[in-house]
Amino acid sequence: MFGSETRLKEFKVPKPLGPRAFEVVGIPLKDPGLYIVELESAILGEALLGISQPMYVPTAALVTNLSVHFKWGRESSLFG
């Protein structure tokens, strides 16, 4: 199991371009590891649930120091 230690961290998602309807934003995950993230949105809850209640959206993110390079050619492509 994960152990008895609970490491929860609350943060606000930055919105550098203001309150736009559709915007890709980053979650500040600085150290490598597996993160289980749950975001709360009152606006999404109102829109999808039809009541004044927040909606919670869970997801997972794996942060590593690995990278993939892709070269796309006309006749063949390479991953490295």
Side-chain angles (χ1 to χ4, degrees):
M1 204 64 192
F2 295 112
S4 61
E5 182 181 334
T6 302
R7 293 183 289 170
L8 298 177
K9 182 177 179 184
E10 189 171 319
F11 61 90
K12 294 212 179 263
V13 176
K15 302 266 303 172
L17 299 178
R20 300 176 121 188
F22 297 101
E23 182 180 349
V24 176
V25 295
I27 299 174
L29 305 174
K30 296 183 182 0
D31 296 322
L34 176 64
Y35 293 85
I36 308 299
V37 180
E38 184 175 63
L39 299 176
E40 174 187 355
S41 174
I43 296 170
L44 189 61
E46 181 76 36
L48 296 179
L49 301 174
I51 56 177
S52 183
Q53 177 179 334
M55 183 167 196
Y56 299 92
V57 181
T59 191
L62 180 61
V63 179
T64 70
N65 62 353
L66 301 176
S67 64
V68 175
H69 296 275
F70 179 68
K71 182 177 180 182
W72 189 344
R74 289 185 182 201
E75 297 186 24
S76 66
S77 298
L78 296 171
F79 281 100

PDB file of all heavy atoms in Angstrom, residues 40-47 49-56:
ATOM      1  N   GLU A  40     -11.185  20.795  -8.644  1.00  0.00           N
ATOM      2  CA  GLU A  40     -12.541  21.185  -8.288  1.00  0.00           C
ATOM      3  C   GLU A  40     -12.935  22.395  -9.130  1.00  0.00           C
ATOM      4  O   GLU A  40     -12.168  23.346  -9.252  1.00  0.00           O
ATOM      5  CB  GLU A  40     -12.599  21.559  -6.808  1.00  0.00           C
ATOM      6  CG  GLU A  40     -13.938  22.116  -6.377  1.00  0.00           C
ATOM      7  CD  GLU A  40     -13.906  22.637  -4.956  1.00  0.00           C
ATOM      8  OE1 GLU A  40     -12.877  22.494  -4.269  1.00  0.00           O
ATOM      9  OE2 GLU A  40     -14.919  23.197  -4.529  1.00  0.00           O
ATOM     10  N   SER A  41     -14.130  22.350  -9.711  1.00  0.00           N
ATOM     11  CA  SER A  41     -14.609  23.470 -10.519  1.00  0.00           C
ATOM     12  C   SER A  41     -16.093  23.710 -10.257  1.00  0.00           C
ATOM     13  O   SER A  41     -16.931  22.858 -10.557  1.00  0.00           O
ATOM     14  CB  SER A  41     -14.391  23.193 -12.008  1.00  0.00           C
ATOM     15  OG  SER A  41     -14.984  24.214 -12.790  1.00  0.00           O
ATOM     16  N   ALA A  42     -16.402  24.884  -9.721  1.00  0.00           N
ATOM     17  CA  ALA A  42     -17.801  25.267  -9.504  1.00  0.00           C
ATOM     18  C   ALA A  42     -18.484  25.573 -10.842  1.00  0.00           C
ATOM     19  O   ALA A  42     -19.660  25.262 -11.033  1.00  0.00           O
ATOM     20  CB  ALA A  42     -17.872  26.478  -8.574  1.00  0.00           C
ATOM     21  N   ILE A  43     -17.737  26.162 -11.777  1.00  0.00           N
ATOM     22  CA  ILE A  43     -18.302  26.496 -13.094  1.00  0.00           C
ATOM     23  C   ILE A  43     -18.657  25.232 -13.864  1.00  0.00           C
ATOM     24  O   ILE A  43     -19.728  25.132 -14.469  1.00  0.00           O
ATOM     25  CB  ILE A  43     -17.310  27.370 -13.888  1.00  0.00           C
ATOM     26  CG1 ILE A  43     -17.094  28.705 -13.176  1.00  0.00           C
ATOM     27  CG2 ILE A  43     -17.790  27.594 -15.309  1.00  0.00           C
ATOM     28  CD1 ILE A  43     -15.967  29.541 -13.742  1.00  0.00           C
ATOM     29  N   LEU A  44     -17.774  24.241 -13.841  1.00  0.00           N
ATOM     30  CA  LEU A  44     -18.046  22.972 -14.531  1.00  0.00           C
ATOM     31  C   LEU A  44     -19.219  22.242 -13.885  1.00  0.00           C
ATOM     32  O   LEU A  44     -20.047  21.655 -14.578  1.00  0.00           O
ATOM     33  CB  LEU A  44     -16.791  22.105 -14.513  1.00  0.00           C
ATOM     34  CG  LEU A  44     -16.804  20.836 -15.355  1.00  0.00           C
ATOM     35  CD1 LEU A  44     -16.997  21.174 -16.822  1.00  0.00           C
ATOM     36  CD2 LEU A  44     -15.530  20.054 -15.159  1.00  0.00           C
ATOM     37  N   GLY A  45     -19.296  22.274 -12.563  1.00  0.00           N
ATOM     38  CA  GLY A  45     -20.417  21.646 -11.873  1.00  0.00           C
ATOM     39  C   GLY A  45     -21.744  22.266 -12.243  1.00  0.00           C
ATOM     40  O   GLY A  45     -22.730  21.573 -12.487  1.00  0.00           O
ATOM     41  N   GLU A  46     -21.779  23.584 -12.311  1.00  0.00           N
ATOM     42  CA  GLU A  46     -23.012  24.296 -12.699  1.00  0.00           C
ATOM     43  C   GLU A  46     -23.413  23.947 -14.125  1.00  0.00           C
ATOM     44  O   GLU A  46     -24.579  23.703 -14.420  1.00  0.00           O
ATOM     45  CB  GLU A  46     -22.792  25.804 -12.559  1.00  0.00           C
ATOM     46  CG  GLU A  46     -23.986  26.656 -12.914  1.00  0.00           C
ATOM     47  CD  GLU A  46     -25.051  26.661 -11.836  1.00  0.00           C
ATOM     48  OE1 GLU A  46     -24.696  26.631 -10.651  1.00  0.00           O
ATOM     49  OE2 GLU A  46     -26.241  26.696 -12.199  1.00  0.00           O
ATOM     50  N   ALA A  47     -22.413  23.880 -15.031  1.00  0.00           N
ATOM     51  CA  ALA A  47     -22.698  23.616 -16.440  1.00  0.00           C
ATOM     52  C   ALA A  47     -23.114  22.172 -16.695  1.00  0.00           C
ATOM     53  O   ALA A  47     -24.034  21.914 -17.474  1.00  0.00           O
ATOM     54  CB  ALA A  47     -21.484  23.958 -17.290  1.00  0.00           C
ATOM     55  N   LEU A  49     -23.768  19.570 -14.151  1.00  0.00           N
ATOM     56  CA  LEU A  49     -24.697  18.966 -13.200  1.00  0.00           C
ATOM     57  C   LEU A  49     -26.029  19.700 -13.137  1.00  0.00           C
ATOM     58  O   LEU A  49     -27.021  19.150 -12.675  1.00  0.00           O
ATOM     59  CB  LEU A  49     -24.060  18.915 -11.799  1.00  0.00           C
ATOM     60  CG  LEU A  49     -22.746  18.135 -11.686  1.00  0.00           C
ATOM     61  CD1 LEU A  49     -22.169  18.285 -10.289  1.00  0.00           C
ATOM     62  CD2 LEU A  49     -22.962  16.681 -12.027  1.00  0.00           C
ATOM     63  N   GLY A  50     -26.030  20.959 -13.569  1.00  0.00           N
ATOM     64  CA  GLY A  50     -27.258  21.742 -13.561  1.00  0.00           C
ATOM     65  C   GLY A  50     -27.663  22.248 -12.184  1.00  0.00           C
ATOM     66  O   GLY A  50     -28.761  22.752 -12.019  1.00  0.00           O
ATOM     67  N   ILE A  51     -26.806  22.111 -11.206  1.00  0.00           N
ATOM     68  CA  ILE A  51     -27.078  22.609  -9.857  1.00  0.00           C
ATOM     69  C   ILE A  51     -25.839  23.367  -9.370  1.00  0.00           C
ATOM     70  O   ILE A  51     -24.755  23.219  -9.902  1.00  0.00           O
ATOM     71  CB  ILE A  51     -27.426  21.469  -8.869  1.00  0.00           C
ATOM     72  CG1 ILE A  51     -26.309  20.416  -8.830  1.00  0.00           C
ATOM     73  CG2 ILE A  51     -28.746  20.823  -9.220  1.00  0.00           C
ATOM     74  CD1 ILE A  51     -26.540  19.307  -7.822  1.00  0.00           C
ATOM     75  N   SER A  52     -26.041  24.187  -8.356  1.00  0.00           N
ATOM     76  CA  SER A  52     -24.941  24.977  -7.814  1.00  0.00           C
ATOM     77  C   SER A  52     -24.097  24.112  -6.879  1.00  0.00           C
ATOM     78  O   SER A  52     -24.214  24.185  -5.665  1.00  0.00           O
ATOM     79  CB  SER A  52     -25.476  26.195  -7.079  1.00  0.00           C
ATOM     80  OG  SER A  52     -24.407  26.979  -6.613  1.00  0.00           O
ATOM     81  N   GLN A  53     -23.267  23.267  -7.478  1.00  0.00           N
ATOM     82  CA  GLN A  53     -22.424  22.330  -6.727  1.00  0.00           C
ATOM     83  C   GLN A  53     -21.132  22.126  -7.510  1.00  0.00           C
ATOM     84  O   GLN A  53     -21.162  22.008  -8.728  1.00  0.00           O
ATOM     85  CB  GLN A  53     -23.162  21.006  -6.571  1.00  0.00           C
ATOM     86  CG  GLN A  53     -22.382  19.933  -5.869  1.00  0.00           C
ATOM     87  CD  GLN A  53     -23.219  18.654  -5.742  1.00  0.00           C
ATOM     88  OE1 GLN A  53     -24.432  18.684  -5.732  1.00  0.00           O
ATOM     89  NE2 GLN A  53     -22.537  17.540  -5.655  1.00  0.00           N
ATOM     90  N   PRO A  54     -19.983  22.103  -6.840  1.00  0.00           N
ATOM     91  CA  PRO A  54     -18.735  21.897  -7.581  1.00  0.00           C
ATOM     92  C   PRO A  54     -18.630  20.485  -8.141  1.00  0.00           C
ATOM     93  O   PRO A  54     -19.196  19.539  -7.607  1.00  0.00           O
ATOM     94  CB  PRO A  54     -17.643  22.163  -6.547  1.00  0.00           C
ATOM     95  CG  PRO A  54     -18.293  21.965  -5.232  1.00  0.00           C
ATOM     96  CD  PRO A  54     -19.741  22.291  -5.410  1.00  0.00           C
ATOM     97  N   MET A  55     -17.903  20.372  -9.239  1.00  0.00           N
ATOM     98  CA  MET A  55     -17.617  19.070  -9.835  1.00  0.00           C
ATOM     99  C   MET A  55     -16.145  18.769  -9.599  1.00  0.00           C
ATOM    100  O   MET A  55     -15.297  19.652  -9.709  1.00  0.00           O
ATOM    101  CB  MET A  55     -17.920  19.075 -11.321  1.00  0.00           C
ATOM    102  CG  MET A  55     -17.729  17.749 -11.984  1.00  0.00           C
ATOM    103  SD  MET A  55     -18.471  17.759 -13.618  1.00  0.00           S
ATOM    104  CE  MET A  55     -18.534  16.028 -13.926  1.00  0.00           C
ATOM    105  N   TYR A  56     -15.830  17.528  -9.276  1.00  0.00           N
ATOM    106  CA  TYR A  56     -14.463  17.102  -9.013  1.00  0.00           C
ATOM    107  C   TYR A  56     -14.005  16.196 -10.149  1.00  0.00           C
ATOM    108  O   TYR A  56     -14.685  15.239 -10.498  1.00  0.00           O
ATOM    109  CB  TYR A  56     -14.380  16.367  -7.676  1.00  0.00           C
ATOM    110  CG  TYR A  56     -14.796  17.250  -6.523  1.00  0.00           C
ATOM    111  CD1 TYR A  56     -16.106  17.273  -6.071  1.00  0.00           C
ATOM    112  CD2 TYR A  56     -13.867  18.078  -5.906  1.00  0.00           C
ATOM    113  CE1 TYR A  56     -16.477  18.096  -5.023  1.00  0.00           C
ATOM    114  CE2 TYR A  56     -14.233  18.900  -4.851  1.00  0.00           C
ATOM    115  CZ  TYR A  56     -15.539  18.902  -4.422  1.00  0.00           C
ATOM    116  OH  TYR A  56     -15.902  19.724  -3.390  1.00  0.00           O
TER     117      TYR A  56
END
